[in-house]
Amino acid sequence: MLAPLRLLVRELDLQPSDKVVFVGDLIDKGPDPAGVVSYVEDLRRSAGCEVVLVEGNHEDRMRRYLRNLVVRPAVAKAQAERAPELADLRSQLDDRGQAFLDWSVPFHRCAAYGVLIVHGGIPGTMQEFPASLEAASMLAGHESKRLQKILRTRYLDADTGEFLALGKQAEGDPFWAEVYDGRFGHVVFGHQPFPDGPAEFPHATGIDTGAVHGGGLTALVFNPGRPRYFVTVESDCHIPYRGGAYDGD
């Protein structure tokens, strides 16, 4: 979605004091993913403002694929057989393009606005959240895997609040943002497309407006002393949802 992204960035009229935070899934979600990666990498290097990439589940999958090519080639081969777009994208990326994953982060805090930015969502069983990226990097084992769920969370078990893998939800199991109580601040997220426009919940806002599915590409803008607002540009991409209304895991 390179053309809408270029247009959206122009609409934002970025200044040196600004910060741009991408909510993930820059790749595998539309035409010319290599062009998107190259553009975002150039933006990070030359825009004159801070650019942050919050990792999505698609970046995580690509990261695992690139790692497996080195340490577990048979596993990487199986990944590419299941998802040919992994090898296709790798073949299109130069070294700088592949390095874009190196500066991604699992989450980003905008303390001035009380905002936590994640790709997916907050499991209902999560009682603590890392105070910093450094603290997150120190997690290991089950704690690290628990944090990784913020990349993929959509639905929660209605009784326990546990994360449910895609397709495992039953009738009555809520979307996480419907029941999130704001314990970690107001969460801005992507992952779940809302083609009809940004989704407002009591303590969360979804800004994936389904640009690859006929919706728009949306930014949520915060300015000191002013109400927040959305900027959306149109997209002419109409890729059907795979596997029903929800996909991406």
Side-chain angles (χ1 to χ4, degrees):
M1 299 306 300
L2 182 55
L5 178 57
R6 288 182 181 274
L7 178 58
L8 181 59
V9 170
R10 286 199 297 271
E11 291 286 328
L12 293 175
D13 188 24
L14 299 176
Q15 303 299 313
S17 60
D18 291 335
K19 178 188 296 184
V20 181
V21 184
F22 291 92
V23 296
D25 281 4
L26 272 62
I27 59 177
D28 300 344
K29 299 292 284 186
D32 195 14
V36 170
V37 168
S38 178
Y39 176 73
V40 172
E41 181 65 19
D42 287 343
L43 189 69
R44 182 178 75 91
R45 293 170 181 263
S46 62
C49 63
E50 184 178 358
V51 177
V52 177
L53 169 59
V54 172
E55 186 176 63
N57 52 298
H58 284 261
E59 283 87 15
D60 175 63
R61 184 175 66 165
M62 187 67 181
R63 184 195 299 279
R64 288 184 282 114
Y65 173 67
L66 293 174
R67 182 175 64 245
N68 287 334
L69 283 172
V70 177
V71 300
R72 296 192 297 175
V75 174
K77 180 181 178 181
Q79 284 181 284
E81 289 173 350
R82 292 193 303 271
E85 61 269 23
L86 292 172
D88 289 345
L89 179 56
R90 177 178 178 265
S91 70
Q92 298 174 47
L93 295 177
D94 56 19
D95 290 342
R96 194 180 73 161
Q98 292 188 35
F100 90 103
L101 292 172
D102 295 340
W103 55 273
S104 65
V105 294
F107 61 87
H108 183 77
R109 292 184 183 275
C110 293
Y113 303 102
V115 165
L116 171 66
I117 301 170
V118 304
H119 175 66
I122 306 296
T125 54
M126 182 174 282
Q127 299 301 317
E128 297 181 353
F129 201 94
S132 65
L133 293 174
E134 182 180 7
S137 70
M138 301 296 291
L139 298 178
H142 291 301
E143 291 183 344
S144 178
K145 290 181 178 179
R146 187 178 300 117
L147 182 64
Q148 281 287 305
K149 290 179 180 178
I150 66 175
L151 275 66
R152 294 172 172 80
T153 294
R154 280 194 175 104
Y155 287 93
L156 306 177
D157 185 283
D159 296 321
T160 66
E162 288 279 358
F163 162 87
L164 293 172
L166 183 68
K168 299 299 184 182
Q169 71 273 12
E171 185 176 355
D173 289 329
F175 186 71
W176 75 270
E178 295 172 340
V179 294
Y180 171 64
D181 59 8
R183 66 187 66 180
F184 306 127
H186 191 93
V187 175
V188 176
F189 66 98
H191 194 47
Q192 172 61 50
F194 299 98
D196 293 332
E200 302 267 23
F201 299 91
H203 301 289
T205 302
I207 62 170
D208 182 343
T209 48
V212 298
H213 306 302
L217 188 65
T218 295
L220 174 55
V221 181
F222 292 87
N223 279 320
R226 293 178 54 189
R228 66 179 197 163
Y229 62 95
F230 300 100
V231 178
T232 300
V233 299
E234 294 183 357
S235 166
D236 59 1
C237 187
H238 293 80
I239 299 174
Y241 289 124
R242 293 173 295 173
Y246 311 108
D247 185 55
D249 291 67

